[in-house]
């Protein structure tokens, strides 16, 4: 009979309703957390993989004697709900809560061991009031501020995007071309934490090196020099940051980013002013890495302060305002991007660093020389090694007052304003008499208006906007921007610890016990945005005394993507595998096993229908083994069992779930060839239980909920060499289990020598030899 998964799943879901409740105990703690989902309506295979990986870890840690925190919630604010409100003519809240209800049942069916008492949704006012409280704390510390800024604007989403949300000039969400717009916006001053965000990467445990590198690159610390160029006619200073002051004598032109703040003043009298403006408009939108380098000459010139040479000033789309000052000195002989641009626009190239033993000719260069060498064409610095010249030229410029040593960061302040409805209202009031006033903590939460029409933003909700000034009592207006949803997810892992706390965002006692998160699991696509913001907010909360940790996540597992037919699953490609269909046909255990067995968790997983069939057969082979159990084991089975315990335990610690399952499959095959006892089968089921909890629990019965992880006995697996003698002379050498009994060893010696003799005539020296006296 096939494994009756439907009735078994229904039974154990009921049993598990209150099984995984977590409290502070005297046991060692373990906080296992998967990134919470956006309630889009249905879980997809990426969700399944994420949550099943976390569940294996959480279940095995519980069995190993840890008090495990394993919660789940919903990242529930965001634009998709507003889009659904338009297309389906329903309120975003109803769409969101309906989706949460359905997805929660899907997660329960997967057999995930969550403490559902700790469930939270970021769209609930008792959650987002703490977003607002956090905003006020940042505001008090001068870390939340408002300014007019030219911001990334998505015309389709009709909202502002942070720099990190623009990917290759397109919206990260809808892939529309991003434009620019000047608006009054709210920012969080994450740049105040640059040094700590960088140095505290050393506090992390096991993070993928690629993710750490992405964080470092995004923070982007560069040490170099700030050099004061001047526009030739007006002598207006154009500061330029460079990490290569050793190449300053090789600068042949100056390049400005399209967003450079002084451009309008600089080009005001240019003959081709309109042409320049058209180029700037185009370049601003396309200002991203990987595009064809384009530029335009402004007709202006700058003075190089080290040698008074006159350099043409260009505007180019490859210069980023996000880095340095937005102005660069171009040294085409020693920078590949500058070299390509110079070749395209026939600009001069001057070599100022020569490799040892060679002479480079600028006219015959096929690419920029970016290696070390010796300075040339650099006046009194000629002959210096370029690494030495970096420091000497920097000091010389500082002494002359034409430059200074500078540390530059790539990271820019976090733009949090969104011109939407379905998000956290920013707790600010504007009064004509009193100015900008933060809402008091006692008045939180500032709640969203419930009666809205599809497509409305907060700016359309007059009953929300109009209020009374808390200081003078005159009519006032509320801020109509909502917060970026990355604010919601920057601290959600704390709310799980005390979700019903009405006085604090998190209980100090619970935070001290549970934080930091021991194991965080999620997609590598969050390597910059979410992880960086969560690290920043944790440091802010540390500074204001809410938490006593500087980093939120000690260990990070970045899971690979689930694909089919070589491509990411999508409706447009017609290659989506619906988890509901797999659950209905094969059950949760089968789907869990396939997701874990098909590939290591950090690698890409290719969906394979044959693979899911193979896991279904494996489940049934285990289910049918119950009819073959014996009162005792074959010795080979006992030996293999303990080897399996050892390897599976080690593999789970290394997150090598696929190889752990391969071992369990091998053991199952052996059980069909040899005798296995009920006790050994129980231990096997305990090994299986984190992977296939329904089947293991059903076969273990009452022992399923409280059994410990099986212990490995090396003597059950270890073998020793025994010398067999007859009357003191060597007769044979035999290999036997290390835990073999004396009686078993005597019988084995008799068989090897074909001598039938009374056991009293056989002398055993433990672990060494057997002597048969005839």
């Amino acid at each position: 009979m096939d494994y009756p998964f439907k009735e078994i799943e229904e039974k154990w879901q009921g049993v598990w309703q209150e099984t995984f409740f977590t409290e502070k105990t005297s046991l060692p703690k373990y906080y296992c957390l998967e990134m919470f989902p956006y309630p889009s309506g249905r879980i997809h295979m990426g969700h399944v993989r994420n949550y099943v990986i976390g569940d294996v870890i959480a279940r095995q840690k519980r069995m190993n004697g840890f008090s495990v925190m394993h919660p789940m919630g919903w990242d529930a604010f965001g634009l998709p709900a507003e889009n659904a409100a338009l297309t389906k003519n329903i309120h975003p809240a109803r769409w969101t809560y309906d989706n949460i209800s359905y997805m929660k049942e899907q997660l329960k069916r997967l057999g995930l061991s969550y403490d559902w008492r700790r469930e939270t949704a970021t769209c609930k006012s008792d959650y987002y009031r703490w977003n607002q409280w956090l905003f006020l704390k940042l505001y008090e510390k001068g870390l939340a501020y408002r300014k007019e800024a030219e911001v990334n604007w998505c015309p389709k989403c009709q909202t502002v995007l942070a720099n990190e949300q623009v990917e290759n000039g397109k919206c990260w969400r809808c892939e529309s071309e991003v434009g620019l717009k000047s608006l009054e916006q709210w920012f969080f001053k994450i740049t105040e934490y640059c040094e700590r965000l960088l140095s505290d990467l050393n506090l992390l445990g096991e993070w993928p090196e690629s993710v750490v590198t992405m964080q470092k690159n995004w923070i982007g610390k560069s040490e170099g020099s700030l050099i004061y160029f001047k526009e030739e006619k007006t002598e207006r200073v154009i500061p330029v940051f460079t990490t290569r002051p050793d190449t300053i004598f090789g600068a042949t032109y100056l390049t400005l980013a399209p967003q450079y703040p002084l451009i309008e003043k600089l080009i005001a009298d240019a003959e081709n002013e309109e042409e320049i403006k058209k180029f700037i408009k185009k370049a601003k939108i396309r200002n991203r890495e990987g595009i064809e380098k384009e530029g335009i000459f402004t007709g202006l010139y700058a003075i190089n302060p080290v040698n008074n040479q006159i350099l043409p000033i260009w505007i180019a789309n490859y210069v980023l305002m996000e880095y340095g000052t937005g102005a660069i000195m171009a040294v085409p002989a020693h920078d590949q991007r500058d070299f390509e641009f110079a070749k395209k626009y026939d600009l001069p190239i001057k070599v100022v660093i020569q490799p040892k033993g060679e002479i480079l000719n600028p006219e015959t260069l096929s690419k920029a020389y970016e290696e070390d060498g010796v300075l040339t064409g650099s006046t009194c610095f000629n002959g210096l090694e370029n690494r030495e010249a970096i420091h000497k030229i920097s000091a010389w410029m500082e002494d002359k007052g034409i430059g200074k040593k500078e540390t530059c960061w790539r990271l820019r302040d976090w733009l949090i304003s969104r011109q939407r409805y379905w998000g956290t209202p920013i707790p600010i009031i504007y009064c004509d008499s009193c100015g900008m006033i933060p809402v008091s903590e006692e008045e939180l939460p500032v709640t969203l208006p419930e009666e809205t029409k599809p497509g409305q933003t907060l700016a359309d909700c007059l009953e929300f906007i109009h209020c009374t000034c808390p200081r003078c009592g005159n009519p006032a207006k509320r801020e109509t921007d909502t917060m970026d949803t990355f604010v919601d997810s920057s601290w959600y892992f704390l709310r799980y610890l005390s979700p019903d706390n009405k006085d604090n965002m998190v209980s100090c006692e619970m935070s001290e016990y549970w934080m930091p998160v021991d194991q965080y699991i999620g997609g590598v696509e969050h390597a910059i945005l979410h992880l960086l913001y969560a690290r920043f907010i944790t440091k802010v909360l540390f500074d204001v005394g809410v938490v006593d940790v500087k980093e939120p996540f000690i260990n990070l597992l970045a899971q690979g993507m689930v694909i089919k037919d070589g491509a990411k699953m999508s409706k447009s490609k017609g290659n989506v595998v619906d988890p509901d269909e797999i659950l209905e046909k094969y059950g949760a255990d089968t789907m869990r096993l396939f997701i874990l067995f098909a590939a290591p968790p950090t690698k890409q997983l290719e969906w394979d229908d044959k693979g899911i069939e193979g896991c279904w057969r494996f489940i049934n082979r285990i289910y049918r083994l119950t009819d073959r159990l014996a009162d005792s084991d074959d010795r080979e089975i006992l030996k293999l069992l303990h080897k399996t315990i050892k390897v599976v335990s080690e593999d789970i610690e290394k997150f090598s779930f696929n190889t752990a399952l391969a071992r369990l499959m091998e053991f199952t095959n052996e059980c069909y060839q040899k005798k296995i006892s009920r006790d050994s089968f129980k231990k096997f089921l305990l090994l299986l239980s984190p992977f296939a909890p329904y089947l293991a629990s059903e076969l273990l019965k009452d022992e399923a909920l409280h059994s410990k992880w099986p212990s490995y006995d090396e003597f059950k697996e270890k073998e020793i060499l025994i010398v067999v003698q007859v009357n003191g002379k060597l007769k044979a050498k035999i290999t036997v289990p290390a835990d073999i009994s004396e009686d078993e060893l005597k019988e084995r010696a008799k068989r090897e020598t074909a001598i039938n003799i009374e056991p009293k005539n056989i002398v055993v020296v433990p672990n060494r030899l057997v002597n048969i006296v005839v």
Side-chain angles (χ1 to χ4, degrees), residues 99-113:
N99 289 347
I100 287 174
S101 178
Y102 188 87
M103 291 174 70
K104 184 175 179 178
E105 290 306 309
Q106 286 183 298
L107 297 186
K108 284 184 175 181
R109 189 170 177 189
L110 277 171
L112 304 171
S113 58

Side-chain angles (χ1 to χ4, degrees), residues 9 71 74 137 153 180 196 251 258-259 279 298 301 313 359 366 404 427 478 523 575-576 679 690 728 745 762 766:
E9 287 177 3
W74 311 96
K137 291 300 172 188
W153 179 261
L180 291 159
R196 288 166 65 182
Q259 296 92 342
F279 173 81
T298 62
Y301 294 87
I313 300 175
I359 300 294
S366 59
K404 65 174 183 176
R478 293 191 184 278
N575 66 345
V576 172
D679 184 64
L745 185 54
I762 303 175

Side-chain angles (χ1 to χ4, degrees), residues 418-460:
R418 298 294 181 270
Q419 292 67 43
R420 308 302 312 165
Y421 161 73
W422 193 234
T424 300
I426 293 175
I428 292 289
I429 291 172
Y430 301 99
C431 174
D432 289 341
S433 301
C434 305
M436 188 164 62
I437 305 165
V439 175
S440 67
E441 289 184 26
E442 293 73 24
E443 296 298 316
L444 299 181
V446 177
T447 56
L448 289 169
E450 294 183 1
E451 300 300 323
T452 62
K453 296 177 181 177
Q456 281 189 323
T457 67
L458 272 188
D460 301 317

Side-chain angles (χ1 to χ4, degrees), residues 278-481:
K278 285 181 182 178
F279 173 81
I280 290 172
K281 184 176 181 181
K282 174 187 173 185
K284 279 181 177 180
I285 298 171
R286 303 274 306 160
N287 186 17
R288 295 291 176 265
E289 297 280 0
I291 60 171
E292 183 183 352
K293 295 171 180 61
E294 295 179 336
I296 190 168
F297 178 45
T298 62
L300 304 172
Y301 294 87
I303 300 169
N304 186 336
V306 301
N307 56 13
N308 292 321
Q309 284 190 354
I310 305 300
L311 309 178
I313 300 175
W314 284 67
I315 299 168
N317 64 352
Y318 73 93
V319 182
L320 301 175
M321 195 64 220
E322 290 91 349
Y323 181 75
T325 65
I328 67 167
M329 62 175 207
V331 186
H334 305 294
D335 183 280
Q336 187 60 27
R337 294 179 311 161
D338 297 343
F339 180 84
E340 292 168 5
F341 191 85
K343 283 292 187 182
K344 180 172 182 175
Y345 291 101
D346 198 24
L347 294 165
I349 298 173
K350 180 183 178 183
V351 174
V352 290
I353 296 177
Q354 295 283 7
K356 290 182 180 180
E358 280 187 65
I359 300 294
L360 299 178
N361 184 341
E363 295 181 5
T364 58
L365 279 179
S366 59
K367 64 178 181 178
Y369 178 73
E370 298 179 317
E371 307 302 320
D372 290 340
V374 178
L375 263 63
T376 184
S378 302
T379 63
C380 61
F381 300 102
N382 287 345
L384 285 178
E385 300 275 348
N386 72 294
R387 294 289 168 186
E388 181 185 2
I390 288 174
H391 304 292
K392 291 200 170 183
I393 291 176
S394 295
W396 175 76
M397 288 192 295
E398 195 151 7
D399 186 56
K400 294 284 186 182
I402 57 176
K404 65 174 183 176
K405 293 178 182 177
E406 184 89 346
T407 298
C408 178
W409 303 89
R410 183 177 185 266
L411 185 64
R412 290 295 181 260
D413 283 340
W414 177 6
L415 169 62
I416 67 152
S417 284
R418 298 294 181 270
Q419 292 67 43
R420 308 302 312 165
Y421 161 73
W422 193 234
T424 300
I426 293 175
I428 292 289
I429 291 172
Y430 301 99
C431 174
D432 289 341
S433 301
C434 305
M436 188 164 62
I437 305 165
V439 175
S440 67
E441 289 184 26
E442 293 73 24
E443 296 298 316
L444 299 181
V446 177
T447 56
L448 289 169
E450 294 183 1
E451 300 300 323
T452 62
K453 296 177 181 177
Q456 281 189 323
T457 67
L458 272 188
D460 301 317
C461 302
L462 298 181
E463 73 280 8
F464 172 82
I465 295 171
H466 295 296
C467 63
T468 300
C469 175
R471 288 185 185 169
C472 67
N474 289 331
K477 293 183 177 180
R478 293 191 184 278
E479 172 62 70
T480 58
D481 283 354

